[in-house]
């Protein structure tokens, strides 16, 4: 279950398709869902983190960390929601 940002068009309870861009995913230590990256890819100036959620992959961009494979908090800043 994901809680979407307040004001997200189409947000409702129940099954839905949620679309968002990797740059709209925020990584940090304080807010969001604690998740462990399934993969961490070096992309030059930043790292691409991938998280498995229900057989789907969430991509997020972020800085290098001491241990990139340790759990991190993930939140979504902006999303689109479509009824299933």
């Amino acid at each position: 279950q994901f809680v979407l940002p307040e004001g997200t068009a189409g947000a409702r309870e129940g099954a839905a398709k949620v679309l968002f861009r990797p740059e709209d995913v925020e990584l940090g230590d304080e807010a969001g869902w604690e998740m462990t990256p399934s993969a961490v890819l070096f992309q030059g100036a930043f790292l691409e983190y991938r998280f498995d959620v229900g057989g789907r992959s969430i991509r997020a961009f972020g800085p290098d960390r001491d241990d990139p494979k340790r759990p991190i908090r993930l939140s979504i800043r902006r999303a689109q929601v479509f009824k299933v």
Side-chain angles (χ1 to χ4, degrees):
Q1 178 177 357
F2 283 92
V3 177
L4 297 173
E6 188 174 320
T8 299
R12 61 181 182 79
E13 288 191 32
K17 288 187 179 186
V18 180
L19 303 174
F20 50 88
R21 297 176 182 266
E23 56 268 23
D24 291 328
V25 177
E26 190 170 285
L27 301 175
D29 294 323
E30 299 191 17
W33 312 279
E34 186 173 273
M35 301 181 81
T36 301
S38 57
V40 180
L41 308 168
F42 177 71
Q43 299 292 346
F46 61 91
L47 295 179
E48 177 181 329
Y49 295 84
R50 293 189 182 173
F51 304 89
D52 289 329
V53 177
R56 303 284 183 187
S57 183
I58 292 179
R59 295 173 51 213
F61 304 136
D64 194 3
R65 304 184 301 145
D66 293 337
D67 180 5
K69 295 291 275 182
R70 74 176 158 80
I72 190 170
R73 295 202 171 269
L74 176 150
S75 59
I76 300 170
R77 288 189 298 243
R78 184 174 48 229
Q80 293 181 322
V81 180
F82 299 91
K83 293 180 188 178
V84 184

